[in-house]
Amino acid sequence: MAKQILILGGGYGGLLTALTARKHLTASEANITIINRFPTHQIITELHRLAGGTIKEQAVALPLQRLLGNKQVNIVVDTIKEIKPDDKKVITTSGAVHTYDALVVALGSETNYFGIPGLEENSMVLKSASDANRIREHVEARLDAYKASGNKADATIVVGGGGLTGVELVGEFADKLPEVCRSKGIDFSDVSIFCVEAGPAILPVFPKVLIERAVESLEKRGVTFLTGVAITEATKNTVSLKSGQTIESNTIIWTGGVKGNPVVGSCGIAEDRGRATVTSTLQSTSHSDVFLAGDCAVVFPEGGERPYPPTAQLAWQMGETVGYNLSVQVKGGAMDKFVPVFSGTLGSLGRKDGIGTIGGNNTQLKGLPASLMKEASNIRYLSHINGLSALAY
Ligand SMILES: Cc1cc2nc3c(=O)[nH]c(=O)nc-3n(C[C@H](O)[C@H](O)[C@H](O)COP(=O)(O)OP(=O)(O)OC[C@H]3O[C@@H](n4cnc5c(N)ncnc54)[C@H](O)[C@@H]3O)c2cc1C
């Protein structure tokens, strides 16, 4: 009888698991079901462009039906409420109860507000296409309000967090807002864009020379970086900093931290600070019928003490390993160990500028070559998941 494989999450880890498992398992060997809270697979690495208004939602939200419908994968749009690994059950907010022979948990991460007073209530995040739409609409509405009232807080944007997400977002604002302001009859020099980072520098994954390049490029286009200062409190229209400075702003976007998904951290599988611990074959260290892919797992290099950073490229590769290992779980054989391949890191600084390190020897890229490479890496991913045709719906 066909085994029941249940995949939770239709992001990078979940989608790649489903696509790979189906390559190795026929429909008579396994029923594969994927449950995701959205009907779309979202290209999170490009969300800053939707938030800035340089691309449409269709470019970052691909219908799962288009990607998986012809692969004999059942798609359920629902939200996971509880995982009961000892009973082999998953319960959703709609009240449905799903059972499984093998479970894949690929539910990603959640925003970490680090307990900063007022931050969660008063900031927006960039984790989904709807978040990106909300940010774009909010920024435009505040600029309209600024035009009407002249209240500077409406023309001030504060992005908390100087990692890839925060920097790519301010890069998009720096590129797009001059045009938006022109269309509204606002002088762009009235707009203030702050990027606040508690650490000593933005983009700590990059070498110093590329960080300096990013700062120089974005400051020239109107971004102010405040580094080495933590946000200590946020209200509806102010951001307080550890330095004592208070910025009056009606637009606060928090990109400064992620934590494990609480549904995973609290379900009873072994975890480390909210992220599931895994074996070298990406099975839960406590439940061998539960596999993990993506940000909700913590993966250490062999013999290493620091876990790999949560990234899309890792989630994608974990999904492929898990997809294959599911076929071994069903049919027997030796499972693959997860061995990540790092192709590099690319960051966009707006449409025509970027930085990156690529290849085994960390070749540095900057300017147009880096942005073209970032574009190419997105196209490569889309083509890998057969997403290019899904874009044209
Ligand atoms: C704005 C932004 C930019 C980024 N840029 C880069 C980059 O340039 N390069 C890079 O490598 N990484 C980047 N990252 C990190 C990367 O996006 C993540 O590491 C990657 O998405 C992890 O994949 P995942 O499959 O674990 O989770 P996700 O892709 O987040 O997928 C999780 C899925 O589970 C669903 N889900 C979550 N909870 C529930 C629930 N309770 N019920 C049902 N469904 C649920 C979500 O809706 C989502 O579809 C970026 C992250 C952000 C936020």
Side-chain angles (χ1 to χ4, degrees):
M1 207 170 75
K3 296 284 182 194
Q4 302 297 327
I5 293 177
L6 188 57
I7 302 171
L8 310 183
Y12 295 86
L15 177 68
L16 270 299
T17 297
L19 289 169
T20 311
R22 200 31 109 211
K23 268 190 209 154
H24 298 283
L25 290 166
T26 63
S28 60
E29 288 168 330
N31 266 324
I32 302 179
T33 301
I34 191 164
I35 308 179
N36 194 47
R37 71 170 146 219
F38 305 122
T40 52
H41 169 69
Q42 305 204 346
I43 312 295
I44 296 179
T45 55
E46 297 293 307
L47 287 181
H48 55 284
R49 298 181 64 192
L50 180 61
T54 52
I55 53 169
K56 298 270 180 252
E57 184 166 343
Q58 287 91 327
V60 294
L62 281 57
L64 282 166
Q65 191 59 43
R66 282 272 186 142
L67 299 170
L68 291 170
N70 63 356
K71 303 263 184 313
Q72 295 176 295
V73 173
N74 312 308
I75 298 156
V76 176
V77 179
D78 207 342
T79 299
I80 310 303
K81 189 169 139 202
E82 198 180 351
I83 303 168
K84 294 187 157 191
D86 295 331
D87 301 337
K88 291 178 173 277
K89 280 186 184 152
V90 169
I91 298 159
T92 66
T93 50
S94 72
V97 178
H98 299 262
T99 56
Y100 59 82
D101 295 303
L103 178 71
V104 180
V105 184
L107 291 171
S109 57
E110 289 221 337
T111 301
N112 193 347
Y113 295 95
F114 301 107
I116 299 169
L119 192 57
E120 182 165 2
E121 304 86 300
N122 295 302
S123 65
M124 294 174 284
V125 294
L126 183 58
K127 295 280 284 176
S128 67
S130 52
D131 293 337
N133 286 330
R134 192 172 312 124
I135 289 172
R136 193 186 58 257
E137 285 158 15
H138 177 93
V139 167
E140 292 213 13
R142 287 343 306 158
L143 289 175
D144 288 336
Y146 174 72
K147 169 92 175 150
S149 70
N151 178 4
K152 176 72 179 154
D154 284 322
T156 302
I157 298 170
V158 177
V159 174
L164 213 45
T165 306
V167 171
E168 290 192 322
L169 183 59
V170 292
E172 218 61 33
F173 285 148
D175 259 17
K176 191 69 184 178
L177 289 186
E179 178 193 325
V180 173
C181 285
R182 250 191 321 276
S183 74
K184 294 182 186 295
I186 297 169
D187 186 346
F188 175 64
S189 64
D190 291 353
V191 174
S192 300
I193 306 169
F194 290 97
C195 181
V196 183
E197 166 57 48
I202 61 162
L203 299 174
V205 291
F206 287 106
K208 194 162 175 255
V209 60
L210 292 183
I211 297 173
E212 285 168 358
R213 174 64 165 60
V215 171
E216 189 193 328
S217 164
L218 290 168
E219 284 189 342
K220 258 193 218 148
R221 285 180 281 148
V223 176
T224 303
F225 288 100
L226 302 173
T227 51
V229 272
I231 292 177
T232 52
E233 190 176 359
T235 67
K236 201 162 177 289
N237 39 33
T238 59
V239 178
S240 305
L241 307 181
K242 199 161 183 193
S243 57
Q245 185 184 355
T246 297
I247 304 170
E248 297 204 354
S249 168
N250 287 334
T251 304
I252 307 167
I253 302 158
W254 177 244
T255 69
V258 292
K259 63 178 183 186
N261 190 311
V263 175
V264 181
S266 64
C267 77
I269 59 175
E271 49 88 29
D272 177 358
R273 277 162 283 184
R275 294 169 73 199
T277 50
V278 290
T279 64
S280 58
T281 51
L282 300 181
Q283 289 161 284
S284 157
T285 51
S286 59
H287 293 73
S288 62
D289 54 352
V290 178
F291 292 77
L292 281 302
D295 287 6
C296 62
V298 60
V299 186
F300 290 87
E302 215 169 317
E305 284 179 6
R306 285 176 68 87
Y308 294 121
T311 64
Q313 55 174 312
L314 217 66
W316 156 4
Q317 294 174 37
M318 288 169 81
E320 294 191 325
T321 300
V322 168
Y324 175 74
N325 287 350
L326 284 168
S327 72
V328 173
Q329 179 98 336
V330 171
K331 297 194 286 194
M335 287 193 191
D336 274 353
K337 286 189 176 178
F338 177 59
V339 183
V341 177
F342 293 96
S343 51
T345 308
L346 295 157
S348 81
L349 307 170
R351 285 306 72 231
K352 295 194 182 112
D353 199 3
I355 52 172
T357 51
I358 55 164
N361 56 353
N362 280 335
T363 303
Q364 294 181 10
L365 289 180
K366 54 188 183 221
L368 195 57
S371 5
L372 291 176
M373 191 59 97
K374 170 113 189 168
E375 194 88 31
S377 100
N378 185 38
I379 291 171
R380 179 173 149 252
Y381 176 70
L382 291 174
S383 115
H384 190 68
I385 61 169
N386 287 324
L388 290 169
S389 58
L391 284 178
Y393 76 106

